[in-house]
Amino acid sequence: MHELEGEYVPSTAGWVRDQVEAFEASGGAEANTLRGGGDPIVVITNRGAKTGKIRKTPLMRVEKDGVYLAVGSRGGAQKNPVWVYNFRANPRVELQDGPVRKAYVARELSGDERAEWWEYAVATWSTYGEYQKRTDRQIPLFLLEPE
Ligand SMILES: C[C@H](OP(=O)(O)OC[C@@H](O)[C@@H](O)[C@@H](O)Cn1c2nc(=O)[nH]c(=O)c-2cc2ccc(O)cc21)C(=O)N[C@@H](CCC(=O)N[C@@H](CCC(=O)O)C(=O)O)C(=O)O
């Protein structure tokens, strides 16, 4: 059975749900930046930690040599986005970048490795630095490596 089949339950956030829909309907040709600006996004399909349902999570595109970084910033909110718990429970995800959708395994980062990737994330999209200043929660990072 294909790893990530199952019932897709859209995000409770309308703008996110709509972006996923437009992105997937166009094979990643449309709705592939943040709010139509110049910052590229990817869409990560993941399995709910409690419901087992299929979730689709757009994140900023942070990539290096075929490996992607998922940044649990959620605008600097005090609590983690719940997809963090999905990635921890079900690390096999699928990531679509433009027209290409592939299987990855998510691995949560810590220590020096995390520090290095955090620096790269902020260099890629500087708003992440602003978000970390807004909360004393340490923003979780997951490296997505091709399966
Ligand atoms: C709104 C909420 O989503 P969330 O998983 O908390 O994630 C919040 C946001 O991070 C998520 O919406 C991101 O896509 C927002 N977002 C970014 N969020 C980020 O954290 N970082 C980014 O870089 C980022 C970029 C981005 C770009 C475009 C865009 O449209 C959205 C972007 C949600 O969908 N909640 C569902 C539950 C979702 C879920 O996965 N439930 C699990 C249970 C999880 C648990 O164990 O509690 C399950 O199904 O079992 C609900 O309340 O019903």
Side-chain angles (χ1 to χ4, degrees), residues 15 19 49-51 55 58 60 71 73-74 82-83 86 128:
W15 67 285
Q19 173 147 30
K50 291 181 183 142
T51 65
R55 307 292 189 164
M60 301 320 295
V71 178
S73 49
R74 194 176 181 183
V82 294
W83 58 261
N86 298 349
Y128 280 137

Side-chain angles (χ1 to χ4, degrees), residues 73 75-78 118 122 126-139:
S73 49
Q78 294 312 317
W118 175 248
V122 174
S126 60
T127 310
Y128 280 137
E130 301 309 309
Y131 288 165
Q132 183 58 84
K133 287 186 197 130
R134 289 187 190 169
T135 174
D136 46 21
R137 157 178 79 95
Q138 186 182 60
I139 291 178

Side-chain angles (χ1 to χ4, degrees), residues 65-144:
D65 305 331
V67 168
Y68 290 81
L69 189 73
V71 178
S73 49
R74 194 176 181 183
Q78 294 312 317
K79 287 174 68 180
N80 286 329
V82 294
W83 58 261
V84 165
Y85 309 113
N86 298 349
F87 281 38
R88 286 179 181 163
N90 304 308
R92 294 161 73 109
V93 301
E94 286 176 7
L95 179 145
Q96 184 168 343
D97 183 358
V100 180
R101 175 170 167 161
K102 286 200 290 193
Y104 293 83
V105 180
R107 173 168 64 86
E108 191 160 6
L109 299 181
S110 60
D112 294 347
E113 189 182 22
R114 182 192 178 287
E116 259 174 60
W117 276 97
W118 175 248
E119 207 177 306
Y120 183 70
V122 174
T124 303
W125 196 57
S126 60
T127 310
Y128 280 137
E130 301 309 309
Y131 288 165
Q132 183 58 84
K133 287 186 197 130
R134 289 187 190 169
T135 174
D136 46 21
R137 157 178 79 95
Q138 186 182 60
I139 291 178
L141 301 184
F142 294 83
L143 205 56
L144 271 57

Side-chain angles (χ1 to χ4, degrees), residues 16-71:
V16 173
R17 182 171 61 230
D18 295 348
Q19 173 147 30
V20 168
E21 199 173 311
F23 178 87
E24 292 201 329
S26 67
E30 306 284 321
N32 53 24
T33 62
L34 181 66
R35 293 198 185 88
D39 300 317
I41 62 119
V42 292
V43 171
I44 303 175
T45 302
N46 56 102
R47 187 176 297 284
K50 291 181 183 142
T51 65
K53 304 282 187 200
I54 296 297
R55 307 292 189 164
K56 293 174 185 282
T57 308
L59 297 178
M60 301 320 295
R61 182 183 186 280
V62 180
E63 182 271 346
K64 186 161 40 167
D65 305 331
V67 168
Y68 290 81
L69 189 73
V71 178

